[in-house]
Amino acid sequence: QTAEYTMDGMTFGMPEAEVFTEDYDGPPVVGEYVTLLPNLKPLDYEGNKHHEVRIDILVQEIEVAEGVRYRAWTFGGTVPGPVLHVKEGDRITFTMKNRSDEEVTITEPSKGGSPFMQQVAENTYQKNKSAIMPMPHSMDFHAGTVAKDDKWRTIGPGESIKFDWIANYAGSYIYHCGTPSVLMHTAMGQHGVVVVSPKDGYPTDYEVDREYVVVQSEYYLEKGPGELYQYDFEGASNRQPSHVVFNGHQTIMHDQPLKANAGERVRFHFSNNGPSGTSSFHVIGGIFDRVWLEGHPFNEMRGMQTVLVGASGSATLDMIVPEEGKYILIDHEFADAELGATGTLKAGPR
Amino acid sequence: QTAEYTMDGMTFGMPEAEVFTEDYDGPPVVGEYVTLLPNLKPLDYEGNKHHEVRIDILVQEIEVAEGVRYRAWTFGGTVPGPVLHVKEGDRITFTMKNRSDEEVTITEPSKGGSPFMQQVAENTYQKNKSAIMPMPHSMDFHAGTVAKDDKWRTIGPGESIKFDWIANYAGSYIYHCGTPSVLMHTAMGQHGVVVVSPKDGYPTDYEVDREYVVVQSEYYLEKGPGELYQYDFEGASNRQPSHVVFNGHQTIMHDQPLKANAGERVRFHFSNNGPSGTSSFHVIGGIFDRVWLEGHPFNEMRGMQTVLVGASGSATLDMIVPEEGKYILIDHEFADAELGATGTLKAGPR
Amino acid sequence: QTAEYTMDGMTFGMPEAEVFTEDYDGPPVVGEYVTLLPNLKPLDYEGNKHHEVRIDILVQEIEVAEGVRYRAWTFGGTVPGPVLHVKEGDRITFTMKNRSDEEVTITEPSKGGSPFMQQVAENTYQKNKSAIMPMPHSMDFHAGTVAKDDKWRTIGPGESIKFDWIANYAGSYIYHCGTPSVLMHTAMGQHGVVVVSPKDGYPTDYEVDREYVVVQSEYYLEKGPGELYQYDFEGASNRQPSHVVFNGHQTIMHDQPLKANAGERVRFHFSNNGPSGTSSFHVIGGIFDRVWLEGHPFNEMRGMQTVLVGASGSATLDMIVPEEGKYILIDHEFADAELGATGTLKAGPR
Ligand SMILES: [Cu+2]
Ligand SMILES: [Cu+2]
Ligand SMILES: [Cu+2]
Ligand SMILES: [Cu+2]
Ligand SMILES: [Cu+2]
Ligand SMILES: [Cu+2]
Ligand code: NA
Ligand code: NA
Ligand code: NA
Ligand code: NA
Ligand code: NA
Ligand code: NA
Ligand SMILES: [Zn+2]
Ligand SMILES: [Zn+2]
Ligand SMILES: [Zn+2]
Ligand SMILES: [Zn+2]
Ligand SMILES: [Zn+2]
Ligand SMILES: [Zn+2]
Ligand SMILES: [Zn+2]
Ligand SMILES: [Zn+2]
Ligand SMILES: [Zn+2]
């Protein structure tokens, strides 16, 4: 194991991951800065923080579109999983139990859970039902810089893993299951986002009125033998998704529009979680005033109608809301928009 | 309605769009700075200008490849539609009549029309025949920053719409019909480009010898019951275009090559109008000396062999023409090049 | 022919290419700075150099995955072809003989050949067998700035071509056959990389411990009538590759991992040679500390988890190796990763 060291102001060399069993039946998501999409918990602390975070693996039957339900493999119970917000330089001690062999209910408030637990209980937009499908899984945080054969190790049902990582680089990062087939595990629902805010911020921070996290992802589903949908191997292999969605559900961002007012600066933390497609992200009626590719403040662009984001790529985007009315977030690859990659931003008066 | 206001030197809050009927049978394209691809009208004025522009919706039977004709839904009669050139900060009062229920001939010179009308009459490379297919349509200018439920409203055959917008951000922008299915309306031909020149220019402006507008787009066509081709729903859904072309026609840029001389700096205003594909834009024999992503002068890159442009993305690209001979514009995603995404730049002596 | 001239410190106007026949049966790859993937020969000279380089066209039966062999059209005998390393401003006199009508063995050391010849004899990871398939071919160096109808001319079996070009722009560049169908010729194996190091270097050069060249490309193969695979026209047209690989072979970068140590800065010269797909290039466990899009030092980005590279696009990427263990290079478009676009970087102790 490489001993901890610093280089260019960053910290590398994390202790070996621990794989163990624990008698845990508490809330599956723990951590003060962990929220339900599209929320982002503001960072209310100075300097760096050591976060203790838990996101357990759960199987949940969820709705991803009107009339389309499947048994999802999830981090924390939703697809995408919870949003973790930390600051550049923060250390995270992460614990995860593979509870794919357990029925875990996430629709009721729990004690000691993260804001995510409260938010999902109040707004279970995927209409969760707990389910069981015991499977080995793992966790790969793109925000972490560690050896994958150690930290991203696969654990069996009933096992837990615990490891540290440092958020060395600012930006928005996907996390996902890294167990083969990664195509299937990610498509089945095991992905989410970590937002690492830069320690010196972005130049427009003081003007930002609202922040939202928006995740694009594809589902590859076909009708199963019963009422549920199931994974479509051929569709996934051929890059022919059945649904391309924002925040895990085909119509959620129309049913529950993002809100803002005319004249405000809205910031989107956008992540394209794939598993395979690109996104030509655009907001109908708006132009991105500032864009930071991958969310890193060094990578600034201005005046972009559309930002092309690869699979597991991201961007932080500021938009001035021009006037009262409706704006539509969209993957401007229109074949994908037709499969659901659209959402609404509703702007009130100035 | 949000009252007009300025922010960061830009103007937002446009008056409500007017939908009305008018007894208009004049030229379908009006405006001094509106041209036929690949032309761009130089901006010959100081400061900002208030443009009055009309681009009517017409149905036209056109040729998109040798032996391939279909009944196109168009802005102004061609696919892509006319190029509008304005300056950062300009105001545009835009009028559009949905004349999809009317036969409108664009192959004869008209009085009071834009340069586009003259140019298309002289060079009807899509071999237009007027046609009728009454349908609701709309206009979405990516260069505008307005509420889409107001300005991008759908109007029926015989209706007109009029609204103002400000070109707040420099760059090249797609415009297109925003009426569902946007995939179909855009693929059927309803898209074009607005070039918004930066008020302080690009750093190499004084060295530029020629400027061309090049639009890439996909057609999804299959043989119809008669001699005409028709929209291929399945091809469009599955991202399997029948033709991928520059400036609306499979061979136009070989039949009518762009021209330059060795030693000149040529500027391309490139827009990938999709509706779904990406473009890996390259010129065989050349390297892009400067690239401004989305056409915004802040987003400068240098020394690029290939620029990846998403659907509804753009780039402004300078290339030094090395020597006399032929250069080929190409989408280097070669499956798309095989479907037609190639064109010629013919260089004369130095 | 345009006479040689300089502009902005670059040189254009190369003498006309010579097409001729020669009685040559020496090593098919000649040049001091020409290597086998993933090697890059360090530039050990000051100022600029005039390189004499030969890369002949050979047909070789090769293995691209366990049990998958086909008769490849190659530059120099491997797929991708040899890596050429030069410096910004260098002149290259390039000679190429179309030896597709000749059996040429590359698995034995040769006199007067480039380091590539030695390296491939020592490590014939594609298990080459010489073969014959007489065909016209050509060479298109993206790093060159010349008229394609002159320098990129197609030559028949037994013919040779010779021309000069100048590496005017720093960066990593694909080279490939430009003979129609370019989709087929490139997919059949005719592509490689030229690395043009910037004359003033990259800002982190003094910290770089190792450099590797990694090329992504797609194969479109189906079982032929005998034991060999053959080109799949339909797969290539429909962008459905059979294999997506790094350095020409589905498992080579696992069988022969790249090597580094914890705490080192590793530089990847990454080129996506297509012919059609994009790559969302990522290293599992790492974050790119610095990225130069297209390899040009002006185009710097920082802190990127994933870099989206178009077809015939490239990037130069620095990564700090965090700790001992395994890291996986991957096209994070997971449908492509499943087809083979993965490789290993094995990190030793600090
Ligand atoms: Cu998993
Ligand atoms: Cu649009
Ligand atoms: Cu329309
Ligand atoms: Cu090329
Ligand atoms: Cu060839
Ligand atoms: Cu990943
Ligand atoms: Na990582
Ligand atoms: Na997409
Ligand atoms: Na807009
Ligand atoms: Na394309
Ligand atoms: Na070139
Ligand atoms: Na790919
Ligand atoms: Zn601590
Ligand atoms: Zn998993
Ligand atoms: Zn998309
Ligand atoms: Zn006015
Ligand atoms: Zn329409
Ligand atoms: Zn393309
Ligand atoms: Zn010389
Ligand atoms: Zn060839
Ligand atoms: Zn890919």
Side-chain angles (χ1 to χ4, degrees):
Chain A
Q1 209 54 33
T2 306
E4 194 170 311
Y5 66 98
T6 61
M7 183 173 286
D8 299 349
M10 297 178 288
T11 304
F12 302 99
M14 295 291 104
E16 202 177 338
E18 286 172 65
V19 176
F20 59 102
T21 55
E22 57 177 336
D23 187 23
Y24 182 81
D25 58 3
V29 182
V30 177
E32 203 181 337
Y33 298 88
V34 186
T35 53
L36 176 69
L37 283 165
N39 303 292
L40 187 73
K41 176 84 184 279
L43 298 184
D44 47 10
Y45 52 89
E46 297 295 313
N48 279 118
K49 197 177 159 68
H50 189 145
H51 299 264
E52 303 273 340
V53 173
R54 168 187 290 273
I55 304 178
D56 288 340
I57 289 165
L58 312 180
V59 179
Q60 298 277 305
E61 190 195 303
I62 61 167
E63 179 189 291
V64 302
E66 175 86 33
V68 179
R69 295 179 68 83
Y70 85 109
R71 212 161 280 142
W73 305 349
T74 80
F75 291 110
T78 55
V79 178
V83 178
L84 170 61
H85 192 187
V86 301
K87 194 184 291 173
E88 183 186 350
D90 282 356
R91 179 184 286 254
I92 296 90
T93 296
F94 177 71
T95 305
M96 174 174 84
K97 183 174 183 180
N98 182 340
R99 296 163 80 175
S100 60
D101 57 347
E102 230 186 286
E103 293 216 337
V104 181
T105 301
I106 64 157
T107 54
E108 281 156 35
S110 61
K111 280 233 161 107
S114 69
F116 169 85
M117 296 304 300
Q118 186 67 29
Q119 289 162 347
V120 80
E122 281 167 16
N123 180 16
T124 318
Y125 67 77
Q126 291 182 327
K127 300 173 187 163
N128 293 53
K129 276 195 231 169
S130 60
I132 288 179
M133 201 184 325
M135 294 273 300
H137 294 293
S138 59
M139 170 58 95
D140 168 350
F141 283 110
H142 277 214
T145 43
V146 296
K148 65 111 9 195
D149 51 343
D150 179 22
K151 276 73 176 181
W152 311 156
R153 260 187 267 181
T154 292
I155 56 171
E159 285 189 319
S160 293
I161 190 167
K162 185 173 185 168
F163 57 81
D164 273 23
W165 60 276
I166 308 275
N168 279 315
Y169 293 90
S172 298
Y173 294 91
I174 186 181
Y175 63 80
H176 63 89
C177 180
T179 302
S181 135
V182 286
L183 173 59
M184 182 179 185
H185 281 249
T186 306
M188 283 295 282
Q190 286 190 292
H191 57 85
V193 171
V194 178
V195 175
V196 181
S197 288
K199 57 177 190 294
D200 298 320
Y202 302 95
T204 61
D205 280 356
Y206 69 100
E207 297 180 70
V208 172
D209 299 288
R210 315 206 178 220
E211 304 194 46
Y212 292 111
V213 184
V214 177
V215 176
Q216 178 171 330
S217 65
E218 307 118 46
Y219 288 111
Y220 298 89
L221 294 170
E222 61 186 359
K223 273 224 116 167
E227 289 188 359
L228 293 181
Y229 281 66
Q230 63 189 20
Y231 184 63
D232 174 12
F233 280 93
E234 203 184 313
S237 299
N238 296 340
R239 304 179 75 145
Q240 297 287 2
S242 56
H243 306 80
V244 183
V245 302
F246 291 146
N247 291 355
H249 189 284
Q250 201 177 42
T251 53
I252 182 60
M253 281 186 56
H254 299 299
D255 303 338
Q256 301 180 13
L258 304 182
K259 287 195 175 138
N261 292 316
E264 290 184 336
R265 178 177 288 263
V266 174
R267 178 168 293 167
F268 301 105
H269 302 268
F270 178 76
S271 181
N272 175 19
N273 285 9
S276 290
T278 58
S279 175
S280 294
F281 186 62
H282 168 73
V283 176
I284 300 177
I287 292 175
F288 300 118
D289 187 74
R290 305 281 176 113
V291 176
W292 295 278
L293 300 176
E294 297 285 285
H296 194 288
F298 188 86
N299 309 333
E300 183 169 319
M301 299 277 153
R302 297 194 183 168
M304 300 189 89
Q305 64 185 320
T306 298
V307 178
L308 178 57
V309 181
S312 83
S314 69
T316 303
L317 315 110
D318 277 8
M319 184 186 113
I320 296 168
V321 180
E323 56 189 30
E324 195 175 344
K326 278 175 72 174
Y327 300 85
I328 305 290
L329 289 72
I330 194 163
D331 178 354
H332 217 288
E333 300 166 18
F334 276 158
D336 289 339
E338 302 270 318
L339 295 175
T342 64
T344 298
L345 174 83
K346 182 131 190 36
R350 194 159 175 251
Chain B
Q1 211 54 32
T2 305
E4 194 170 310
Y5 66 98
T6 61
M7 183 173 286
D8 298 349
M10 297 178 288
T11 304
F12 302 98
M14 296 290 104
E16 201 177 338
E18 285 172 65
V19 176
F20 59 102
T21 55
E22 57 177 335
D23 187 21
Y24 181 82
D25 59 4
V29 181
V30 178
E32 205 181 335
Y33 298 90
V34 185
T35 53
L36 177 69
L37 285 164
N39 303 291
L40 188 73
K41 177 83 183 281
L43 298 183
D44 48 9
Y45 52 91
E46 298 294 312
N48 280 117
K49 196 177 159 70
H50 188 146
H51 299 263
E52 304 271 341
V53 173
R54 169 187 289 271
I55 303 177
D56 288 339
I57 289 163
L58 311 180
V59 179
Q60 298 277 305
E61 191 195 303
I62 62 167
E63 180 189 290
V64 302
E66 175 86 34
V68 179
R69 295 179 67 84
Y70 85 109
R71 212 160 280 143
W73 306 350
T74 82
F75 291 109
T78 55
V79 178
V83 178
L84 170 61
H85 193 187
V86 302
K87 194 185 291 171
E88 182 186 351
D90 281 357
R91 179 183 286 253
I92 297 91
T93 295
F94 178 70
T95 305
M96 174 174 83
K97 184 175 182 179
N98 182 339
R99 296 164 79 174
S100 61
D101 57 346
E102 232 186 284
E103 293 216 340
V104 181
T105 301
I106 65 156
T107 53
E108 282 157 35
S110 61
K111 281 231 161 106
S114 68
F116 168 86
M117 295 303 301
Q118 187 66 31
Q119 289 162 347
V120 80
E122 282 167 16
N123 179 17
T124 317
Y125 68 76
Q126 293 183 326
K127 300 174 187 162
N128 293 55
K129 276 195 229 168
S130 60
I132 288 179
M133 201 183 325
M135 295 274 299
H137 293 292
S138 60
M139 171 58 94
D140 168 349
F141 283 110
H142 277 215
T145 43
V146 296
K148 63 104 25 188
D149 51 342
D150 178 22
K151 276 72 176 183
W152 310 157
R153 259 186 268 179
T154 293
I155 56 171
E159 285 188 319
S160 292
I161 190 168
K162 184 174 184 166
F163 56 81
D164 272 24
W165 59 277
I166 309 275
N168 278 315
Y169 293 90
S172 297
Y173 294 91
I174 186 182
Y175 62 80
H176 63 89
C177 180
T179 302
S181 137
V182 286
L183 173 59
M184 182 179 186
H185 281 248
T186 306
M188 283 294 283
Q190 286 190 292
H191 57 84
V193 171
V194 177
V195 175
V196 181
S197 287
K199 56 177 191 294
D200 298 320
Y202 302 95
T204 61
D205 280 357
Y206 69 100
E207 297 180 71
V208 172
D209 299 289
R210 317 206 177 221
E211 304 194 46
Y212 293 111
V213 185
V214 177
V215 176
Q216 178 171 330
S217 65
E218 308 118 46
Y219 288 111
Y220 298 89
L221 294 170
E222 61 187 358
K223 273 224 116 166
E227 290 188 0
L228 293 181
Y229 280 67
Q230 64 188 19
Y231 184 64
D232 173 12
F233 280 93
E234 204 184 312
S237 298
N238 296 340
R239 304 178 75 145
Q240 298 287 1
S242 56
H243 307 79
V244 183
V245 301
F246 290 147
N247 291 356
H249 189 285
Q250 201 177 41
T251 53
I252 183 59
M253 281 186 57
H254 299 299
D255 303 337
Q256 300 179 15
L258 304 182
K259 286 193 178 143
N261 291 316
E264 290 184 338
R265 178 177 289 262
V266 175
R267 179 168 294 167
F268 301 105
H269 302 268
F270 178 76
S271 182
N272 176 19
N273 285 8
S276 290
T278 58
S279 175
S280 294
F281 187 62
H282 169 73
V283 176
I284 300 177
I287 291 175
F288 300 119
D289 186 74
R290 304 282 175 112
V291 177
W292 295 279
L293 300 177
E294 296 285 283
H296 194 288
F298 187 86
N299 309 332
E300 183 168 319
M301 299 277 152
R302 296 192 184 171
M304 300 188 89
Q305 64 185 319
T306 298
V307 179
L308 178 57
V309 181
S312 84
S314 69
T316 303
L317 315 111
D318 277 8
M319 185 186 111
I320 295 168
V321 179
E323 56 189 30
E324 195 176 344
K326 278 176 71 175
Y327 301 85
I328 306 290
L329 289 71
I330 194 163
D331 178 356
H332 218 288
E333 300 166 17
F334 276 159
D336 289 339
E338 302 269 318
L339 295 175
T342 63
T344 298
L345 174 82
K346 182 132 191 34
R350 191 156 177 255
Chain C
Q1 209 54 32
T2 305
E4 194 170 312
Y5 66 97
T6 60
M7 183 173 285
D8 299 348
M10 297 179 288
T11 303
F12 303 98
M14 296 290 103
E16 201 177 338
E18 286 172 66
V19 176
F20 59 102
T21 55
E22 56 178 336
D23 186 23
Y24 182 81
D25 57 4
V29 180
V30 177
E32 204 182 334
Y33 298 89
V34 186
T35 53
L36 176 69
L37 284 165
N39 303 291
L40 188 73
K41 177 82 183 283
L43 298 183
D44 48 9
Y45 53 90
E46 298 295 314
N48 280 117
K49 196 177 160 69
H50 188 147
H51 299 263
E52 304 272 341
V53 173
R54 169 187 289 273
I55 304 177
D56 287 340
I57 289 164
L58 311 180
V59 178
Q60 298 277 307
E61 191 195 303
I62 62 166
E63 179 189 292
V64 302
E66 174 86 35
V68 179
R69 295 179 68 83
Y70 84 109
R71 213 161 280 142
W73 305 350
T74 80
F75 291 109
T78 56
V79 178
V83 178
L84 170 61
H85 192 187
V86 301
K87 194 186 291 173
E88 183 186 350
D90 282 356
R91 180 183 286 254
I92 296 90
T93 295
F94 178 71
T95 305
M96 174 175 82
K97 184 173 182 180
N98 183 339
R99 296 164 79 174
S100 60
D101 57 347
E102 231 187 284
E103 294 217 338
V104 181
T105 300
I106 65 157
T107 53
E108 281 156 34
S110 62
K111 280 234 161 106
S114 69
F116 168 86
M117 294 305 300
Q118 186 67 31
Q119 290 161 346
V120 79
E122 282 168 17
N123 180 16
T124 317
Y125 67 76
Q126 293 182 326
K127 301 174 187 163
N128 293 54
K129 277 195 228 168
S130 61
I132 288 180
M133 201 184 325
M135 296 273 300
H137 294 291
S138 59
M139 170 58 95
D140 168 350
F141 284 110
H142 277 215
T145 43
V146 297
K148 64 110 12 194
D149 51 342
D150 179 22
K151 276 72 175 181
W152 310 157
R153 259 187 268 182
T154 292
I155 57 172
E159 284 189 320
S160 293
I161 190 167
K162 185 174 185 167
F163 56 82
D164 272 25
W165 60 275
I166 309 275
N168 279 315
Y169 293 90
S172 297
Y173 294 90
I174 186 182
Y175 62 80
H176 63 89
C177 181
T179 302
S181 135
V182 286
L183 173 60
M184 183 179 184
H185 281 247
T186 306
M188 283 295 283
Q190 286 189 293
H191 57 85
V193 171
V194 178
V195 175
V196 181
S197 288
K199 57 177 192 293
D200 298 320
Y202 301 95
T204 61
D205 279 357
Y206 68 99
E207 297 179 72
V208 172
D209 299 289
R210 316 205 176 221
E211 305 193 46
Y212 293 112
V213 185
V214 177
V215 176
Q216 179 172 330
S217 65
E218 307 118 44
Y219 288 112
Y220 298 89
L221 295 170
E222 60 186 359
K223 273 225 115 166
E227 289 187 1
L228 293 181
Y229 280 66
Q230 64 188 20
Y231 185 63
D232 173 11
F233 280 93
E234 204 184 314
S237 299
N238 295 339
R239 304 178 74 145
Q240 297 287 1
S242 56
H243 306 78
V244 183
V245 302
F246 290 147
N247 291 354
H249 190 284
Q250 202 177 40
T251 52
I252 183 59
M253 281 186 56
H254 299 299
D255 303 336
Q256 300 180 14
L258 304 182
K259 287 194 175 139
N261 291 317
E264 290 183 337
R265 179 177 288 263
V266 174
R267 179 169 292 166
F268 302 105
H269 302 268
F270 178 76
S271 181
N272 175 18
N273 285 8
S276 291
T278 58
S279 175
S280 294
F281 187 62
H282 168 73
V283 176
I284 300 177
I287 292 175
F288 300 118
D289 187 74
R290 305 281 175 113
V291 176
W292 295 278
L293 300 176
E294 296 285 283
H296 194 288
F298 187 86
N299 308 333
E300 183 168 319
M301 299 277 152
R302 297 193 184 170
M304 301 188 89
Q305 64 185 318
T306 298
V307 178
L308 178 57
V309 180
S312 83
S314 69
T316 303
L317 315 111
D318 277 9
M319 186 186 110
I320 296 168
V321 179
E323 57 189 29
E324 195 174 344
K326 277 176 72 173
Y327 300 85
I328 306 290
L329 289 72
I330 194 164
D331 179 355
H332 218 287
E333 300 165 19
F334 276 158
D336 288 339
E338 302 269 319
L339 295 174
T342 63
T344 298
L345 174 83
K346 182 133 190 36
R350 193 157 174 253

